[in-house]
Amino acid sequence: MLLYFFITCFSFIFLKSLSLNPLPPWASEVRLLVPFWFCPYPNFNFGSIRNTLLNLTSKMSLKKVALSSCEAKLENPVNDFEEGKMSILDLPELALECILEKLPPEGLCNMGVVCSSLRERCMSDHLWERHMKQKWGKIIGPAAYREWQFHKLSSKHLGVYNKQGRPNGLMKLLSIVWPLPWMKSKDDHGNDNINVVKQKSCLLVDSIMSWFLALETGKFWFPAQVYNRENGHVGFMLSCYDAELSYEPKTDTFQARYPPHGRRAIAIENGIPWDRLRAPPVDTSPHDLHISDCLNDLRPGDHIEIQWRRNKEFPYGWWYGVVGHLESCDGNENYCLCHKSEIVVLEFHQYSRGSRWRCTMINRKNHREEGNEADGFYGGIRKLYMNDHISRWKQLWPTQFLE
């Protein structure tokens, strides 16, 4: 027994003398296991205990070498990094930030499961803002952002777990990307702490990363606009209508749900490519009249978009057209005074000459909604200033004139 007491004390003093720093968590396990090396009780499995002790002491030696190498000044940091004596967290802050900024979305997700420090960095909004703008910036507008804000509030109030304790919606996705042990914690009795899970999940829902992943997987429906809806239906050529969209990652296309037109049911279109989508150019509901601010600037040859609807029960769509000349004008630019007239001629060249949809006129000074039940109702007007927007419409030009 005296020998047993001596070995116990000696092992404690020996471990304490290894470093002035606090002992790591595994050191206490070594201290507890050393006395059992020569335990007098015959029922202990000496072989397994000795093997465990040898493994722990070898870890202790490696840890001591790593600590001493970090405290000393490295003469050749490149070679030390190759030998495994440094980690990515030992890099300067700016270098590490540059590496993370170069990673694609899947790279950030993979890097985030390495450790808690990298997890927090990889979830930073400024890293995901760049990916959001690059891939989704052209079709995500203020309306989609408001929809996401509402989605976040709903997720916070309704929670992310159902009554059976299973994850709902976005948390199913995030549980695949981020391991469950990180998202769960234990209370004092060893049970899953659901309250902590909910708090962490709310932080996830608040992040741009969660918005990006929700879009990528098609779990989040967002408002946007579709050119030539319903696969280029003849009644919607060179128009752009509002819809709710969901991404289909397997085909890299979108599904659209169009609002009902009068008695017509909701129309659904699948397989919509990226080049037929855009963010709404103005933050105006499709059922509201857009207040035009360009009427005094309209001149013949200008490219425009104008709201049009079949009747007042329908939502507006945006239709492409150009400003034409008055009948009294011969079109000579040197003598044209059409821009000074109160009447503005709007032409839609996708329709054949003689078609009732080919041309319409509006009043420049007091234009509101104009039209009738036979020809439809014309609403607000937008002047197109950017060549990219004009060329986009021309790319969608029908192969033949419409009647």
Side-chain angles (χ1 to χ4, degrees):
M1 293 301 294
L2 180 61
L3 178 61
Y4 175 76
F5 177 78
F6 172 76
I7 293 176
T8 304
C9 295
F10 177 76
S11 64
F12 176 78
I13 296 172
F14 172 73
L15 291 174
K16 277 293 185 179
S17 63
L18 288 177
S19 175
L20 296 177
N21 296 327
L23 291 175
W26 49 263
S28 60
E29 300 177 8
V30 175
R31 185 181 63 192
L32 294 175
L33 287 173
V34 168
F36 291 100
W37 190 294
F38 298 100
C39 179
Y41 300 102
N43 293 330
F44 283 99
N45 188 338
F46 295 109
S48 62
I49 294 177
R50 288 193 181 97
N51 291 337
T52 303
L53 181 58
L54 289 174
N55 291 334
L56 291 173
T57 52
S58 63
K59 290 181 181 179
M60 178 183 66
S61 301
L62 293 174
K63 184 68 175 181
K64 183 179 179 181
V65 172
L67 289 174
S68 62
S69 63
C70 291
E71 293 173 356
K73 294 184 177 180
L74 298 174
E75 296 180 358
N76 191 348
V78 176
N79 293 336
D80 289 338
F81 185 81
E82 292 176 353
E83 294 175 2
K85 296 180 182 179
M86 292 181 62
S87 72
I88 192 172
L89 294 177
D90 295 319
L91 293 173
E93 187 70 20
L94 182 59
L96 178 57
E97 190 68 19
C98 290
I99 292 175
L100 296 179
E101 288 179 352
K102 298 295 183 181
L103 292 178
E106 58 272 17
L108 284 175
C109 291
N110 292 332
M111 184 71 78
V113 300
V114 174
C115 63
S116 59
S117 178
L118 286 175
R119 181 183 69 233
E120 294 177 0
R121 294 172 184 268
C122 292
M123 289 182 62
S124 299
D125 282 349
H126 75 276
L127 294 176
W128 289 92
E129 281 178 357
R130 180 173 63 88
H131 296 299
M132 179 66 76
K133 291 179 181 179
Q134 286 180 351
K135 183 166 186 179
W136 298 95
K138 293 184 178 181
I139 62 175
I140 294 294
Y145 180 75
R146 285 194 301 269
E147 188 69 22
W148 175 250
Q149 296 298 316
F150 177 77
H151 174 80
K152 289 196 303 183
L153 292 175
S154 300
S155 299
K156 288 181 180 180
H157 291 297
L158 297 178
V160 294
Y161 281 77
N162 57 25
K163 295 181 180 179
Q164 288 75 29
R166 298 178 180 177
N168 293 324
L170 182 60
M171 286 301 292
K172 289 184 179 180
L173 164 67
L174 295 175
S175 65
I176 298 175
V177 179
W178 304 99
L180 285 176
W182 168 67
M183 295 194 301
K184 290 185 178 181
S185 63
K186 301 290 184 178
D187 57 18
D188 296 337
H189 302 286
N191 299 319
D192 288 336
N193 193 332
I194 300 299
N195 292 329
V196 176
V197 173
K198 289 184 178 180
Q199 292 174 4
K200 291 186 177 181
S201 66
C202 290
L203 294 177
L204 291 173
V205 173
D206 275 336
S207 66
I208 296 179
M209 182 194 77
S210 64
W211 188 11
F212 184 92
L213 295 178
L215 289 168
E216 283 285 306
T217 56
K219 303 297 183 182
F220 174 62
W221 288 79
F222 61 95
Q225 291 183 346
V226 184
Y227 292 102
N228 291 359
R229 58 172 284 180
E230 299 182 37
N231 294 312
H233 187 282
V234 66
F236 298 100
M237 297 300 291
L238 289 193
S239 67
C240 202
Y241 274 81
D242 288 83
E244 286 187 335
L245 297 173
S246 174
Y247 181 61
E248 297 177 350
K250 293 183 178 180
T251 59
D252 192 29
T253 58
F254 293 81
Q255 181 182 20
R257 296 187 303 212
Y258 299 105
H261 280 55
R263 297 179 181 178
R264 186 179 180 184
I266 295 177
I268 298 177
E269 182 181 356
N270 296 306
I272 303 174
W274 286 81
D275 57 5
R276 282 183 53 204
L277 303 179
R278 73 174 184 181
V282 294
D283 195 15
T284 304
S285 168
H287 293 277
D288 296 334
L289 178 71
H290 172 66
I291 305 303
S292 307
D293 57 0
C294 62
L295 296 178
N296 293 329
D297 299 330
L298 294 179
R299 293 172 174 266
D302 287 344
H303 300 263
I304 59 98
E305 292 179 8
I306 186 170
Q307 287 178 313
W308 183 86
R309 58 182 175 180
R310 190 69 181 84
N311 60 54
K312 294 192 175 184
E313 295 181 358
F314 287 16
Y316 284 114
W318 288 96
W319 293 73
Y320 171 72
V322 294
V323 178
H325 292 274
L326 297 170
E327 292 184 1
S328 59
C329 179
D330 59 3
N332 190 323
E333 295 182 357
N334 297 324
Y335 302 100
C336 178
L337 298 176
C338 294
H339 61 282
K340 295 184 178 180
S341 172
E342 292 186 6
I343 303 300
V344 180
V345 177
L346 302 180
E347 297 178 347
F348 305 93
H349 293 167
Q350 64 268 34
Y351 292 96
S352 60
R353 293 185 181 275
S355 172
R356 61 174 178 169
W357 312 111
R358 172 82 179 193
C359 178
T360 190
M361 292 183 289
I362 64 169
N363 191 291
R364 189 190 301 269
K365 291 188 176 181
N366 56 6
H367 170 67
R368 297 292 291 175
E369 184 181 58
E370 300 181 11
N372 52 60
E373 294 292 339
D375 298 330
F377 296 87
Y378 295 88
I381 299 175
R382 295 180 56 249
K383 181 178 177 179
L384 301 180
Y385 297 94
M386 299 181 63
N387 291 330
D388 291 344
H389 296 166
I390 299 172
S391 62
R392 185 74 204 96
W393 281 110
K394 291 183 177 180
Q395 292 172 4
L396 298 167
W397 203 269
T399 56
Q400 59 185 5
F401 287 109
L402 307 176
E403 296 296 333

